[in-house]
């Protein structure tokens, strides 16, 4: 049986390693070792400089070997969201896995997922962290809801939480 075509959408090289970037790259390698074809669609800009707590979001380290990474998403540029969504949709992957960790990313990732969903082929799933942040900010609920409505499937316990979130 031929492997699946998988796209992971989330942080990866050239963003600094650690946390989600490293996890996404390792996830891609694990899928490849299982015989799947994997590509990561990452960010050309993850955070505007005024929101980034450190000196730089980017690394000078070499890219991981054997992983295709395309830095297509600018978190604050809707044109890049449309381009990334159309690119992924045109690839017709069997599975698209989004990394969701912050409501600030909801509009970008939700728009990309909406465009991918138009191909009526790809399954859209998410690995999530901090769906409801500890520090509440304006936009948390609608941005999160916008993203979650684009997924292919939600377990009942998550769907119930999403409904409660929408009423929040």
């Amino acid at each position: 049986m031929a492997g699946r075509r998988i796209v992971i959408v989330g942080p990866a090289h050239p963003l600094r390693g650690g946390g989600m970037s490293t996890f996404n790259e390792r996830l891609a390698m694990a899928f490849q070792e299982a015989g799947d074809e994997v590509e990561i669609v990452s960010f050309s800009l993850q955070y505007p400089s005024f929101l980034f707590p450190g000196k730089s979001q980017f690394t000078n380290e070499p890219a991981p070997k054997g992983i295709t990474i395309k830095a297509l998403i600018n978190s604050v540029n809707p044109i890049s969201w449309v381009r990334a969504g159309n690119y992924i949709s045109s690839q017709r992957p069997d599975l698209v896995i989004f990394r969701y960790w912050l409501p600030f990313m909801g509009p970008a990732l939700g728009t990309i997922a909406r465009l991918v969903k138009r191909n009526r082929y790809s399954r859209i799933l998410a690995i999530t962290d901090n769906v409801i942040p500890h520090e509440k900010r304006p936009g948390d609920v609608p941005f999160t809801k916008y993203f979650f409505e684009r997924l292919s499937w939600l377990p009942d316990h998550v769907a119930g939480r999403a409904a409660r979130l929408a009423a929040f």
Side-chain angles (χ1 to χ4, degrees):
M1 179 171 115
R4 298 167 294 187
R5 171 97 174 97
I6 299 171
V7 174
I8 299 169
V9 179
H13 190 276
L15 299 173
R16 267 189 347 208
M20 284 184 280
S21 293
T22 300
F23 177 87
N24 290 339
E25 292 163 7
R26 292 291 302 136
L27 182 62
M29 285 189 250
F31 278 125
Q32 286 178 339
E33 289 167 5
D36 297 316
E37 181 184 338
V38 184
E39 176 177 43
I40 299 175
V41 173
S42 185
F43 293 84
S44 60
L45 177 74
Q46 189 172 4
Y47 300 108
S49 58
F50 72 91
L51 290 178
F52 187 72
K55 292 183 177 167
S56 176
Q57 309 175 52
F58 303 100
T59 182
N60 293 326
E61 299 292 320
K65 300 226 184 285
I67 302 174
T68 301
I69 301 172
K70 294 192 176 183
L72 302 178
I73 307 165
N74 179 317
S75 66
V76 295
N77 181 347
I79 294 169
S80 77
W81 311 346
V82 171
R83 286 183 182 148
N86 287 335
Y87 168 76
I88 296 167
S89 182
S90 72
Q91 300 301 306
R92 292 182 49 85
D94 299 298
L95 177 62
V96 181
I97 302 171
F98 283 84
R99 235 0 245 270
Y100 187 87
W101 71 100
L102 188 65
F104 172 76
M105 299 296 174
L109 298 179
T111 298
I112 294 166
R114 179 178 54 84
L115 292 167
V116 170
K117 202 169 192 174
R118 285 184 180 171
N119 76 16
R120 297 178 184 229
Y121 178 80
S122 303
R123 301 286 295 172
I124 301 170
L125 303 176
I127 298 172
T128 63
D129 301 287
N130 299 324
V131 171
I132 306 294
H134 302 292
E135 307 83 27
K136 301 223 185 298
R137 291 176 213 78
D140 283 353
V141 171
F143 292 170
T144 298
K145 183 179 176 196
Y146 180 76
F147 172 72
F148 271 82
E149 289 175 344
R150 273 91 188 135
L151 301 179
S152 295
W153 173 78
L154 285 174
D156 291 339
H157 70 282
V158 174
R161 287 183 189 152
R164 286 193 301 278
L165 177 65
F168 177 49

